[in-house]
Amino acid sequence: MSPKHRTAWERVQIARNPARPKTLDYVARLLQPWVELHGDRAHGDDAALVAGIGSFRGRSVVVLGHQRGGDTKENLARNFGMPRPEAYRKAGRIMEMAGKFALPLVCFIDTPGADPGIHSEERGQAFAIAANLCTLANLPVPVVATVIGEGGSGGALAIGAGDRILMLENSVYSVASPEASAAILWRDSAKAPEAAAAMKITAADLVSFGIADGVIPEPADGAHVEPAAAIDAVGERISAALDELDAQYRTPAGLYDVPRLLEARVEKYRGIGAWREEMPPVAEPVVVEASGD
Amino acid sequence: MKDWFRRHHHPSFQSAGATSREIPEDLWEKCPKCSELLYQRELENNEWVCSRCAYHFRLRAEQRIAQLTDEGSFEEHSAYLLSTDPLNFRSATESYADKLRQSREKTGLSESMLIGTATLAGCPLVLAVTDFRFMGGSMGSVYGEKLVRAVDIALDRRLPVLTVNASGGARQQEGMFSLMQMAKTTTAFARLGRERLPHISLLTDPCTAGVTASYATSADIVIAEPGALIGFAGPRVIEQTTRQKLPPGFQTAEFCLEHGMVDMVTPRRELRPTLGNLLRIFSATGGLSVVS
Ligand SMILES: [Zn+2]
């Protein structure tokens, strides 16, 4: 099937391919040196989300990314890339460090979703995700997030609400997994292919909605076939996004114009939505098409 | 008491919401928790809390507003925002357009979120209230946009914001537009915080997923109503994925308090005095307007 005509469900399969490059593959090829940092300084370290600092094309950056396993054993160790609250709290403290040292934050999104377990609820999964969204909203440095595989719901967004959102061509980003949407709306999780199409979750869909800022083309048969080429293409686009944000917000002192950066972030997210405003009827109802999207 | 509703709503969305005066004497309701038969009029006088077991009934947005705000003070804003069905969404059994139409007819509301200004114990504030009856209080584009506008009003008039939340999370039928409302609302509330204006969040039954995981729990003060279900994943999803039976009291307001997630669990009849105290204390920080 030619890449332009893949169905949403075909892209979901490519996005979940175990051989597809994952966060640590990107880090290994794009950052030199790279130092991984562990733990939330409160409860534990969750391998489903990796964090660290490194040098990316001559620029020091902070990196966060979901990490799936390449096989069953690693997937068990990494909870299939489904972060627990301690993962988000680790991410939160690393975000704060990025802000403190005026280092751009580079995030890689690749998760089926946040962990839905009993212990995650006990430790405040929702509260941990919300805290990250709040930290990101106030973060005084540019944030570039790239969906490299599957962007699953709030668990993805918790490290994804950046100034630029990029998506690999075969990545998907959804409010719930196609299986979950099918279970809720079709009452049959086997209808996931239908749900994947109806929910409009591909990179091209998200760019058309004004949610994602760009699609990064993949090698013809997918990133898993030529990982190095895919990783380099992602590196190029992240680098270009950081250059663009630096040109707009970096001050001569090497810091960032924080009020302008944060206002631009408010405006970016404020523009996401689709609604119309119907004015109160006077004689005849007046319908005003709004600028929601 | 319900004049605000008639004044500000599109006639086709008008609710048949009954006031205590209008409730016939012989109408009763069964308590979902203890099965006691309770007269509706008695329930109304007791703020819809069971007199036997203290179960807190779910409230419609208009009941909540009437209970919390000073009489006649609520003025609704942006009542005429409507979803445009951006995905042109249709599942095997129904279309989003039909679902919206049915929800409007059933509830008399235009959407699951209402915003406005009011006074509470004499303190002016911006109020944003979810109505769970409208598609499970789900957050789509209109919900998010209304919250951003609520923050705008608060910034403009230097007022605190009280959100009253009861939601199953992001609205599936608007797909990624809904998920991104988590970032849209939290970003707006972060801006409110940078201007040193407080956000107080009241979590009511039930509150899960995208709303709990965004603006509703990143507030300065988080209050929960007794017995409210509060969590990220819903209990059924957790049971299905973990194949474990959930312990009693799991994901209740009291469970959240015990695990350090909320500031307090406050019975309904103590909400107004508690909120009044908080608003007065915050107003002493000097950042807030004390008159509307
Ligand atoms: Zn009872």
Side-chain angles (χ1 to χ4, degrees), chain B residues 30-36 38 49-55 57:
Chain B
K30 191 174 179 178
C31 173
K33 197 175 160 198
C34 74
S35 301
E36 180 85 347
L38 303 153
V49 175
C50 173
S51 52
R52 185 172 170 209
C53 76
Y55 170 78
F57 281 74

Side-chain angles (χ1 to χ4, degrees), chain A residues 25 69 77 91 98 140 144 181 194-195 215 231 240 259 264 274 288-289:
Chain A
D25 301 312
V144 175
S181 290
E194 283 92 325
V215 182
I231 292 168
V288 180
E289 282 297 325

Side-chain angles (χ1 to χ4, degrees), chain B residues 234-245:
Chain B
R236 258 187 310 157
V237 172
I238 302 172
E239 281 189 329
Q240 278 163 12
T241 44
T242 63
R243 293 186 190 87
Q244 274 177 281
K245 197 99 190 89

